[in-house]
Amino acid sequence: MAGGLDHLVIVAHDLDALAEFYGRLGFQVGARNRHDWGTLNNIVQFDGCFLELLTTEDGFERPGEDQPLASFTSVIDDYLDEREGLAMMVLEGFDAARDHEAYQAAGIGVPAQFGFRRQGRTPAGEPVEVAFSLAFAKSPAITDAGFFVCQQHAPELFWNAAFQVHENSAVGVRRVIFAAPDPEQHRAFFERYTGVGAEAISGGIGFPLARSRLEVVTPGRAAELFGEDALPAGLGGPRFVAVEFEVRSPGDASALLGRHGVAFAERDGRIVVPAGEAFGLTVAFS
């Protein structure tokens, strides 16, 4: 079954601007990568999980819905048609084929899994090839977010401590916030997707994961935590609205944001960059 948080897919129309903004937030942003099907990304690494900053390139052609790749690209393409922000959550996989079968048996699977390879670079700039197998999960009640498991076949070529040092002192993702009017409606899906039983929290339900936690809460609770402007205009259906990072020094992080001209507020011990400033996704540090 799936492990802890592997990565978060954050999308924007202008990847250069998104990568530059995450640099201003104090993250070390990796080099540009390209997928053969027409998406581009930059990676922000932590110890055991990462952010994937992503867009579609000029000339991108959406594959047919009967293609395994569509479980990834259709979510991204649909999301960018409407908004920017956190489009997909990804868990760590150890056997994607088994996860695919488990999701099928649980009633949340898709017809086919998907695998791919791409070129990457070491900190010294040397080319390497990394490979991944994906198993997707889907809920009919969630149309504005995607979910899958990612198995890395050469993790030693991907993870590198040199990429995991950030000027803002961030060490990882503390929690991911998913807003829904009725969190209980999504309990069964998230329990099957994560393999973790839900626990009651204020305003919703929580799922403790290795290296992070997922919280499914009402929009009102998300606003209590991060401020009214944490919720993007036209929230629409249930979707991800915020990510909170753990930092070693909140004071240094807030000073850095000030130097870099990033608007933020301090709320209940958290430094909060609202969604309107941060490409549709509230970013918090604590």
Side-chain angles (χ1 to χ4, degrees):
M1 186 47 105
L5 178 67
D6 187 79
H7 69 279
L8 303 172
V9 182
I10 301 170
V11 302
H13 296 105
D14 186 339
L15 185 57
D16 287 334
L18 181 64
E20 188 272 340
F21 178 75
Y22 271 77
R24 289 169 56 212
L25 290 177
F27 294 108
Q28 180 184 174
V29 180
R32 181 66 46 85
N33 304 297
R34 180 183 183 276
H35 301 123
D36 289 342
W37 53 83
T39 53
L40 307 169
N41 73 17
N42 295 84
I43 300 299
V44 175
Q45 273 198 27
F46 307 101
D47 184 9
C49 68
F50 66 97
L51 309 179
E52 181 177 14
L53 311 181
L54 184 138
T55 197
T56 54
E57 67 180 354
D58 293 341
F60 168 78
E61 294 185 7
R62 180 168 173 154
E65 294 303 308
D66 59 340
Q67 300 298 309
L69 176 59
S71 295
F72 179 79
T73 55
S74 293
V75 173
I76 300 302
D77 196 37
D78 289 344
Y79 203 93
L80 285 171
D81 276 347
E82 300 291 335
R83 60 183 66 86
E84 299 174 309
L86 175 49
M88 306 189 83
M89 179 178 186
V90 188
L91 300 180
E92 176 185 31
F94 305 101
D95 186 334
R98 185 174 62 183
D99 289 331
H100 174 70
E101 292 174 358
Y103 288 157
Q104 291 279 74
I108 64 169
V110 302
Q113 64 176 114
F114 176 67
F116 70 97
R117 299 174 179 272
R118 71 161 173 82
Q119 293 297 310
R121 291 192 178 276
T122 68
E126 299 172 351
V128 294
E129 184 178 71
V130 290
F132 310 87
S133 291
L134 315 181
F136 295 89
K138 187 173 179 62
S139 165
I142 301 172
T143 58
D144 294 333
F147 307 90
F148 63 94
V149 167
C150 179
Q151 177 187 0
Q152 293 201 31
H153 294 287
E156 71 282 359
L157 298 179
F158 182 86
W159 300 109
N160 195 300
F163 292 151
Q164 298 164 12
V165 179
H166 304 285
E167 188 181 5
N168 59 19
S169 76
V171 296
V173 176
R174 182 185 294 277
R175 59 179 167 174
V176 183
I177 305 297
F178 185 89
D182 181 8
E184 281 293 333
Q185 178 188 8
H186 308 286
R187 174 190 288 265
F189 169 74
F190 282 113
E191 287 186 336
R192 293 168 184 168
Y193 169 57
T194 65
V196 175
E199 57 186 26
I201 60 173
S202 179
I205 51 180
F207 299 84
L209 306 171
R211 297 178 293 281
S212 188
R213 64 183 282 113
L214 167 66
E215 296 187 359
V216 183
V217 300
T218 63
R221 177 56 177 163
E224 288 177 8
L225 289 168
F226 301 104
E228 290 292 339
D229 53 1
L231 299 175
L235 178 63
R239 63 186 176 99
F240 294 108
V241 296
V243 176
E244 183 175 338
F245 296 94
E246 180 180 353
V247 293
R248 292 193 176 95
S249 175
D252 288 348
S254 61
L256 181 148
L257 295 179
R259 292 195 305 272
H260 291 176
V262 177
F264 68 93
E266 296 191 25
R267 187 178 181 88
D268 299 328
R270 289 181 292 275
I271 301 160
V272 180
V273 181
E277 176 82 1
F279 291 84
L281 174 69
T282 290
V283 176
F285 302 95
S286 64

